[in-house]
Amino acid sequence: MTARTLRLGELAHIVGRHNSPLSPRGASELDDRESADNLMLVCADEHKEFDAVETLDVFTVGVLRELKRSHEDRIRYVTGLSADRTTTVLRMVGQVHGHEVELSRQTAATVVVAAKRYPLFLESYSRHGIEIDLRPLPGESARRPDVTWSAGDRSRSYYRLATAVIDDVIEHQLKRGIASDNVRHLSVFGFARLPLLIHLGSRLDDTVPTEIYQRHRHDESWCWQDSAPVVDFVSRLDHAAPHGPDEVVVLSISGTVNPAEVPVELAGLRRYEIRPAAIPSAPDVLGHRSSLENFVACVRTFLADLESAPTTIRRLHMFPALPLSAAIALGRLHHHQVHPELAIYERLDGRYWRTLDIGLSTDKGETEASDGPGFTSAQGSGVRAPHARAAARRGVYRRAACSDGCPEE
């Protein structure tokens, strides 16, 4: 910018320049002390810290050689990735009932590089990729809640604010990046309450190849684990009531949803359950990437099978106990022009509340026609989450043309 030559780095010696007590780490029989193997390019502050008398017992010859080796290995690996291995990182960070996790730019970059992709942090995204930060929003903190509101009302109020933030980032950052051909692959990291993760997934463009990452509870990492078992999933009819416009889906993946806790006004509806095929539901059930792929395949088949129902299904009441990645994948699977609306329920204060709806049209007539179980109950209606791809006509449920519109996850 100034057209002036500035020194931004310094050459530091691992073994000191001179075999002398006055030269840091200089006591050595090394002959060629100016060779590239004995030099490191560092900033001035780091150079001073390496050579300070107080830190010579910390920054030994062995430590500095290992730092140089690991850094050169990383640079060699990253620069060896081809251009088509770049990915744009999308991070959504919120609190889950007062708890949050560390999900920094560096954390995401490390995970993506381990997956043999190069994280692209575009200048237009402030060098932080695409970040959706829900933590400043009121209503999702650990402080004592407003007792004059029910748990369902508090969640719905919070979701109105949170979905607006999500939609704003998607519209003004992600979609613009896709339109300008700057986003060709997406790596998604999400930590937030399940309804918001499902909403985020529903807003992701299904034409862009996308990798969704899972946070593993046992070691708090985000990397897929090749040593983890590959889990299959099954769907089954749990309550054989007649088909109707409203049906219930229980997703017992990371935990078990007790059917007895389904709100009484939904108890008589036809109900399905999706769960692991051969093992109990557990928080870390999605340790292997193929397990998430199997979950996606199971839900996709389930939604396609509903097409054969003799009655048009307009709404699925969803009771999710899901890992984070599965919630995002569920939202991404849902096609607003094809599938029934999703009414998402959340267990709060010992009961289930309908807190967020996915796929509702903003058309007044269609909204009125959407009234059904749960809208006039004690739970109240869920927050309506309209989507730009909502169908012009609701109530039509046809099979997705997966050869064109359902790319592999």
Side-chain angles (χ1 to χ4, degrees), residues 178 183-184 204-210 332 389 404-405 407:
I178 294 172
V183 177
R184 300 183 180 182
L204 299 180
D205 193 308
D206 57 11
T207 65
V208 176
T210 299
R332 189 165 181 260
R389 294 186 297 174
D404 297 322

Side-chain angles (χ1 to χ4, degrees), residues 194 197-198 212-214 224 233 251 253-254 285-286 291-292 295-296 299 321-333:
L194 290 184
L197 294 174
I198 297 172
I212 303 170
Y213 289 89
Q214 169 66 32
W224 290 113
F233 298 87
L251 297 128
I253 308 299
S254 60
V285 68
L286 297 185
S291 297
L292 177 61
F295 170 78
V296 168
V299 174
L322 293 172
L324 306 175
S325 60
I328 299 172
L330 172 63
R332 189 165 181 260
L333 275 171

Side-chain angles (χ1 to χ4, degrees), residues 88-92 129-132 170 174 186-190 200 204:
T88 298
V89 176
L90 186 157
R91 293 174 295 131
M92 185 169 86
I130 303 174
E131 182 179 52
I132 304 174
I170 296 297
L174 179 58
L186 197 62
S187 294
V188 180
F189 298 78
L200 171 65
L204 299 180

Side-chain angles (χ1 to χ4, degrees), residues 9-23:
E10 297 182 358
L11 285 177
H13 290 77
I14 296 176
V15 174
R17 177 179 292 180
H18 307 290
N19 189 352
S20 164
L22 299 179
S23 183

Side-chain angles (χ1 to χ4, degrees), residues 328-369:
I328 299 172
L330 172 63
R332 189 165 181 260
L333 275 171
H334 183 257
H335 285 254
H336 298 262
Q337 296 176 335
V338 175
H339 298 143
E341 300 159 357
L342 302 183
I344 311 299
Y345 289 74
E346 202 174 2
R347 197 174 192 275
L348 305 165
D349 291 351
R351 60 181 292 190
Y352 280 98
W353 302 79
R354 181 174 174 179
T355 54
L356 186 63
D357 294 337
I358 305 292
L360 289 175
S361 170
T362 57
D363 180 84
K364 180 178 179 181
E366 293 169 15
T367 299
E368 293 174 349

Side-chain angles (χ1 to χ4, degrees), residues 139 143-151 153-154 349:
R143 66 176 182 269
R144 186 172 179 174
D146 183 354
V147 295
T148 62
W149 282 25
S150 71
D153 287 337
R154 291 195 299 270
D349 291 351

